[in-house]
Amino acid sequence: MSITEETRRESYESLDSATIRKCIVEILKDNSERTAREIALMIYGKPDRQAVAPRLTELAADGIVEAVSKKRDRLTGRTVAVYRLVEK
């Protein structure tokens, strides 16, 4: 494993679920609607949705975010959910 791969992994592992959830909420505070991949790109600088998708599921279960539409993911060509903060 290269040095950059090691430091990237260390950074990734240092983020806990609560921190990722807070980052997601901060990103969506501007009333934007984003997919898990778009949010991951903003947090990690790469389109790796695997750390973000479970946190979005948790936030949705807690009533903090909601899936509001669908769109085609440019990377995979699959249909994915688009999320936003729940209006209070």
Side-chain angles (χ1 to χ4, degrees):
M1 185 179 298
S2 73
I3 291 173
T4 55
E5 289 172 328
E6 287 177 22
T7 57
R8 197 173 337 144
R9 178 173 277 302
E10 289 168 5
S11 293
Y12 171 78
E13 290 172 351
S14 71
L15 287 177
D16 60 23
S17 294
T19 301
I20 297 169
R21 288 169 55 116
K22 287 177 187 175
C23 288
I24 292 169
V25 170
E26 284 301 314
I27 287 169
L28 296 176
K29 273 189 175 175
D30 66 355
N31 294 321
S32 61
E33 297 179 355
R34 302 185 189 279
T35 67
R37 189 174 310 282
E38 291 166 343
I39 293 168
L41 187 59
M42 295 178 79
I43 293 173
Y44 300 109
K46 59 182 182 173
D48 181 12
R49 64 177 292 284
Q50 297 302 338
V52 173
R55 305 300 74 88
L56 282 166
T57 300
E58 294 168 1
L59 289 166
D62 292 343
I64 297 169
V65 301
E66 62 186 344
V68 293
S69 64
K70 299 183 285 186
K71 74 182 210 182
R72 187 148 320 271
D73 182 272
R74 286 189 244 166
L75 189 63
T76 64
R78 294 183 177 179
T79 302
V80 296
V82 177
Y83 294 89
R84 73 172 176 206
L85 287 178
V86 171
E87 294 181 23
K88 303 214 179 198

